[in-house]
Amino acid sequence: MTIEICVPSLGESVTEATVAKWFKAVGDTVARDEAIVELETDKISLEINSDSSGTLSDIVAPEGENVAVGAVLGRIAESNGASAAPPIPSIPPGEATASPAEAEPAPLSPAVRKLIEEHALDVAEIQGSGRDG
C-alpha cells in the first residue's frame, strides 16, 4: 500500500510553505514517526514525520518548491503490513484511576509511541511523573 505524505495545516492564516530539506532520498527506508522532510513558512519551520514504515518511493515536491496546505509532498510504499495509524495503547479495564478525567489515556505523541514500541513497554504500567501522576 502507498501512503501519501501531505502538507499539514500550518496554522492560522498560513496557506503555503516551502520545502526546505528532504532528510531521505527515493529508495531510502523510513521508520514510522521518523522526520522525513522539513517545511518552512514565514512564521515556522516544521519537520514532517512519517505515518508508517516503508520505503520513500516518490518525491513529488522537491526542495525549494512552494506547496499549499494539503498538497502531496511524496509517497511511502509500506513494508510488511505496516499500518498508517497505529493503535494507541490504552489502560486495561480495572486499572483506571479514581478520577474520570484520568480514566481515559491521553493521546500519545509520535515520540512516546516510538519509545513504547522500541522498549516493548506496557503503557498501563508506566507511572506518570507530572502533576497528579
Side-chain angles (χ1 to χ4, degrees):
M1 179 178 202
T2 301
I3 301 297
E4 291 185 335
I5 306 161
C6 296
V7 178
S9 174
L10 299 168
E12 193 173 321
S13 76
V14 180
T15 59
E16 70 175 13
T18 302
V19 178
K21 181 177 183 177
W22 279 94
F23 300 119
K24 296 289 185 173
V26 172
D28 285 353
T29 301
V30 177
R32 182 176 39 203
D33 299 327
E34 180 178 16
I36 50 178
V37 62
E38 180 179 35
L39 302 177
E40 289 182 347
T41 72
D42 57 341
K43 296 181 180 183
I44 63 169
S45 178
L46 174 71
E47 289 183 352
I48 306 298
N49 293 341
S50 174
D51 287 336
S52 64
S53 297
T55 303
L56 185 61
S57 60
D58 187 24
I59 291 179
V60 177
E63 290 181 8
E65 185 169 314
N66 289 333
V67 290
V69 171
V72 176
L73 298 167
R75 293 180 182 87
I76 295 173
E78 285 187 305
S79 62
N80 301 334
S83 65
I88 296 176
S90 62
I91 298 173
E95 293 188 27
T97 56
S99 167
E102 295 171 347
E104 295 180 347
L108 301 175
S109 71
V112 171
R113 284 196 313 259
K114 184 176 180 181
L115 285 172
I116 288 170
E117 195 172 285
E118 284 177 353
H119 299 285
L121 300 173
D122 182 359
V123 175
E125 295 178 7
I126 299 172
Q127 178 66 34
S129 60
R131 182 176 156 198
D132 297 325

